[in-house]
Amino acid sequence: KGDLQLVCSYPLLKWDFSKILLISDKDTVHPPIRFTDSLHRRLIINYKWEEEKRYRILIPDSVLKAIKNKSHDTIRIEFSTKAEKDFGNLNLSLNFENPRGQYIIQLWNENETALADEQITHGTGKVTFSYLLPGKYKIKAIDDRNKNSRWDTGVYRKKIQPEKVFYF
């Protein structure tokens, strides 16, 4: 479920999304595409994906033009979707020592790669990570003392310690 994300190596300066094709069986559509970042590197293809179906994305030559006049050859991406029964959900009930504190909750896989979007919670609460493939995961919780929604290293000269990190 959800949108398909494509990441470009360089920020894009010119593009023509109307030329990007999504092919499913014998149907060809022009899916809605948008950027998710200000640098124009992350594209989101919004489409109602069907379970257990094969798709192809075709991006013709030079449809995306990046900085330094960089472009690309024709890009073909083929993939299949899985059935909903192939995924699981992880529901966490959290109860930290500081009930008024803010915590950043991240999901990591065995290869130390962050998965899904991180979630912000306060002292107690529930967090859900949906549509996970079977596997081993780690939960990383960051005590976000200054509530800026990111981990801070601290400041040696001001004797400010880094924000605490907990792994589960």
Side-chain angles (χ1 to χ4, degrees):
K1 297 254 178 194
D3 299 328
L4 178 68
Q5 178 175 274
L6 302 176
V7 180
C8 301
S9 299
Y10 299 97
L12 297 178
L13 296 176
K14 294 182 183 178
W15 55 86
D16 185 356
F17 292 154
S18 68
K19 293 183 179 176
I20 297 176
L21 303 175
L22 174 62
I23 303 161
S24 168
D25 294 330
K26 294 181 179 159
D27 296 330
T28 301
V29 296
H30 296 278
I33 301 173
R34 63 182 167 80
F35 289 106
T36 62
D37 65 333
S38 60
L39 292 177
H40 296 142
R41 285 190 55 228
R42 297 182 184 279
L43 304 169
I44 292 289
I45 297 178
N46 185 283
Y47 189 73
K48 186 173 170 127
W49 310 103
E50 295 179 41
E51 291 184 23
E52 298 180 311
K53 196 164 188 179
R54 293 183 54 79
Y55 291 96
R56 284 185 304 161
I57 295 174
L58 180 66
I59 305 174
D61 181 28
S62 301
V63 166
L64 308 173
K65 297 197 178 183
I67 60 173
K68 298 183 181 178
N69 214 20
K70 293 188 180 285
S71 193
H72 60 88
D73 291 332
T74 298
I75 299 172
R76 288 180 186 86
I77 302 169
E78 295 188 26
F79 62 95
S80 298
T81 55
K82 293 182 180 268
E84 191 169 352
K85 66 180 171 43
D86 295 334
F87 297 94
N89 298 323
L90 177 61
N91 300 309
L92 303 173
S93 293
L94 305 170
N95 190 7
F96 289 102
E97 289 179 11
N98 180 3
R100 290 188 186 94
Q102 177 170 298
Y103 296 88
I104 303 166
I105 309 300
Q106 299 174 339
L107 183 67
W108 293 68
N109 66 12
E110 289 181 284
N111 301 327
E112 301 291 325
T113 304
L115 305 174
D117 292 328
E118 61 188 23
Q119 298 184 36
I120 306 292
T121 188
H122 299 279
T124 61
K126 296 187 183 292
V127 173
T128 299
F129 294 99
S130 302
Y131 298 105
L132 300 174
L133 290 171
K136 293 182 181 181
Y137 296 96
K138 288 182 184 178
I139 304 299
K140 180 178 180 180
I142 301 168
D143 182 359
D144 189 19
R145 288 189 316 247
N146 61 2
K147 297 184 172 131
N148 67 350
S149 300
R150 65 182 179 90
W151 179 76
D152 291 302
T153 59
V155 181
Y156 180 77
R157 288 188 175 139
K158 293 182 180 180
K159 298 183 181 180
I160 298 173
Q161 293 291 319
E163 292 177 329
K164 291 182 180 178
V165 176
F166 308 94
Y167 288 94
F168 304 95

